[in-house]
C-alpha cells in the first residue's frame, strides 16, 4: 500500500466514523434527549427504542463489527497462513476502526438507557475500548520490521551501534548530537521502568525522540541536505 493510498485508507475510516456518529446524533437528538418516561409518546420511539427496527439494527451491526474487528486481527496476527496478507499495522487500523464505531452503534442501540446487567456490560465495553486506545499508543512505541514483527533487544542494540558508527563518521554531525543519540538509544534507560511509571516514561520518551528528530533535521538543513528524503 502506497503512502497516498494509506492516507486515503485512514481518511475513509475517519470519515465513516465521524459521519455515523454525527448523523445518528442529529437525527436522534430529539428522541434521545427526551426523558425515559416520555419516550413512549415520541414519534420515533417504535424505531429507535432498543427493540425497534433501527435500535435493534444498531445493536446487531455494532456487535458484528466488534466481533469481526477482533477476529480478523487475531487471525492475521497468529496465523502463519496469512503472514504475507498485508502489513499487520494496516490490519490493526481496521481493527481499531471496527472496534470504535461498533461500540458507538451499540451505545445508540441502548438509547442511552443503562441499568442492571446492561450497565455492567456497557461499562465493561467502554473499558475494553479505552484499553485498546492505550494499547495502540504502546504498540507504536515497540520497534518493528516493515512486516510488523517485533524486533528483539539484541537486534536493536546491533542497529544502534551500526547507526552510531555511521553518525560518527559523518562530518556534518557534531559530538553533542552523537552524545544525544547514544543517550536516547541506550537500553539502560529502560531498566528503571515499572508498572506505575511506564506510561509517564513513554510520554517523556516520545517527546525526547521528537526533539532529537528535529535536531537532526536542523543539522541536515545546515549541511544543505533536504530533510524530505529522511522523512
Amino acid at each position: 500500500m502506497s503512502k497516498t493510498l494509506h492516507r486515503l485508507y485512514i481518511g475513509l475510516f475517519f470519515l465513516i466514523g465521524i459521519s455515523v456518529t454525527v448523523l445518528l446524533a442529529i437525527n436522534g437528538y430529539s428522541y434521545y434527549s427526551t426523558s425515559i418516561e416520555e419516550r413512549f409518546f415520541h414519534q420515533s420511539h417504535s424505531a429507535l427504542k432498543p427493540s425497534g427496527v433501527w435500535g435493534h439494527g444498531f445493536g446487531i451491526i455494532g456487535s458484528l463489527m466488534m466481533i469481526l474487528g477482533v477476529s480478523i486481527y487475531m487471525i492475521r496476527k497468529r496465523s502463519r497462513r496469512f503472514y504475507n496478507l498485508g502489513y499487520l499495522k494496516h490490519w490493526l487500523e481496521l481493527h481499531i476502526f471496527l472496534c470504535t464505531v461498533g461500540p458507538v452503534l451499540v451505545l445508540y442501540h441502548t438509547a442511552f438507557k443503562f441499568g442492571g446487567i446492561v450497565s455492567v456490560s456497557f461499562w465493561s465495553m467502554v473499558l475494553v475500548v479505552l484499553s485498546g486506545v492505550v494499547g495502540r499508543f504502546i504498540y507504536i512505541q515497540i520497534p518493528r520490521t516493515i512486516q510488523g514483527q517485533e524486533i528483539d533487544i539484541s537486534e536493536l542494540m546491533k542497529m544502534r551501534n551500526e547507526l552510531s558508527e555511521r553518525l560518527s563518521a559523518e562530518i556534518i554531525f557534531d559530538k553533542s548530537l552523537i552524545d544525544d543519540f547514544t543517550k536516547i538509544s541506550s537500553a539502560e534507560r529502560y531498566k528503571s521502568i515499572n508498572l506505575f511509571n511506564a506510561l509517564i516514561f513513554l510520554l517523556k520518551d516520545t517527546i525526547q525522540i521528537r526533539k532529537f528528530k528535529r535536531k537532526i533535521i536542523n543539522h541536515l538543513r545546515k549541511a544543505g541536505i533536504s530533510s524530505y528524503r529522511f522523512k
Side-chain angles (χ1 to χ4, degrees):
M1 185 182 294
S2 65
K3 190 173 183 179
T4 301
L5 186 59
H6 182 247
R7 287 178 177 176
L8 293 174
Y9 176 73
I10 298 298
L12 181 62
F13 289 162
F14 272 104
L15 179 62
I16 294 175
I18 294 174
S19 298
V20 168
T21 305
V22 172
L23 288 174
L24 290 178
I26 293 175
N27 290 296
Y29 177 77
S30 176
Y31 175 74
Y32 297 125
S33 61
T34 302
S35 63
I36 296 177
E37 294 79 10
E38 297 178 356
R39 287 182 183 180
F40 179 79
F41 304 101
H42 196 281
Q43 60 182 0
S44 300
H45 179 68
S46 60
L48 296 178
K49 64 181 180 179
S51 59
V53 176
W54 284 101
H56 198 199
F58 294 154
I60 293 174
I61 296 174
S63 298
L64 288 176
M65 289 181 72
M66 289 188 288
I67 293 172
L68 182 63
V70 172
S71 300
I72 60 175
Y73 180 65
M74 293 302 294
I75 292 173
R76 167 60 182 84
K77 186 177 181 180
R78 299 180 183 276
S79 177
R80 293 184 178 181
R81 182 178 301 178
F82 303 104
Y83 180 81
N84 294 319
L85 190 60
Y87 294 150
L88 186 61
K89 69 174 185 178
H90 296 160
W91 287 98
L92 176 61
E93 289 160 353
L94 177 61
H95 162 76
I96 292 173
F97 164 71
L98 292 174
C99 293
T100 300
V101 177
V104 171
L105 291 175
V106 171
L107 176 61
Y108 280 100
H109 158 69
T110 64
F112 299 89
K113 180 182 178 181
F114 310 114
I117 191 66
V118 175
S119 177
V120 175
S121 300
F122 174 77
W123 290 113
S124 297
M125 180 185 68
V126 171
L127 288 175
V128 171
V129 173
L130 292 176
S131 68
V133 173
V134 175
R136 170 57 177 167
F137 174 78
I138 295 175
Y139 175 86
I140 62 177
Q141 306 303 316
I142 300 174
R144 299 174 185 274
T145 65
I146 194 170
Q147 289 82 16
Q149 301 302 310
E150 296 178 6
I151 301 176
D152 61 35
I153 187 64
S154 60
E155 292 177 302
L156 282 176
M157 294 308 298
K158 181 180 178 180
M159 293 169 60
R160 177 245 190 183
N161 293 334
E162 290 177 352
L163 185 55
S164 181
E165 290 175 1
R166 290 182 60 186
L167 289 175
S168 300
E170 296 290 342
I171 301 176
I172 59 173
F173 295 110
D174 57 33
K175 187 177 183 302
S176 64
L177 189 64
I178 304 299
D179 292 339
D180 288 343
F181 173 75
T182 302
K183 180 180 178 181
I184 205 170
S185 61
S186 174
E188 299 295 324
R189 301 170 59 240
Y190 301 94
K191 289 185 177 181
S192 60
I193 298 180
N194 55 49
L195 182 62
F196 299 102
N197 66 6
L199 186 58
I200 296 177
F201 181 88
L202 286 174
L203 290 171
K204 290 182 178 179
D205 200 42
T206 301
I207 294 173
Q208 290 178 349
I209 291 173
R210 289 183 176 178
K211 287 182 178 179
F212 181 70
K213 181 180 177 181
R214 287 196 296 267
K215 187 179 291 187
I216 289 180
I217 292 175
N218 289 333
H219 276 268
L220 294 174
R221 285 175 178 169
K222 290 179 180 178
I225 301 176
S226 173
S227 62
Y228 174 80
R229 69 188 68 177
F230 297 95
K231 292 181 180 179

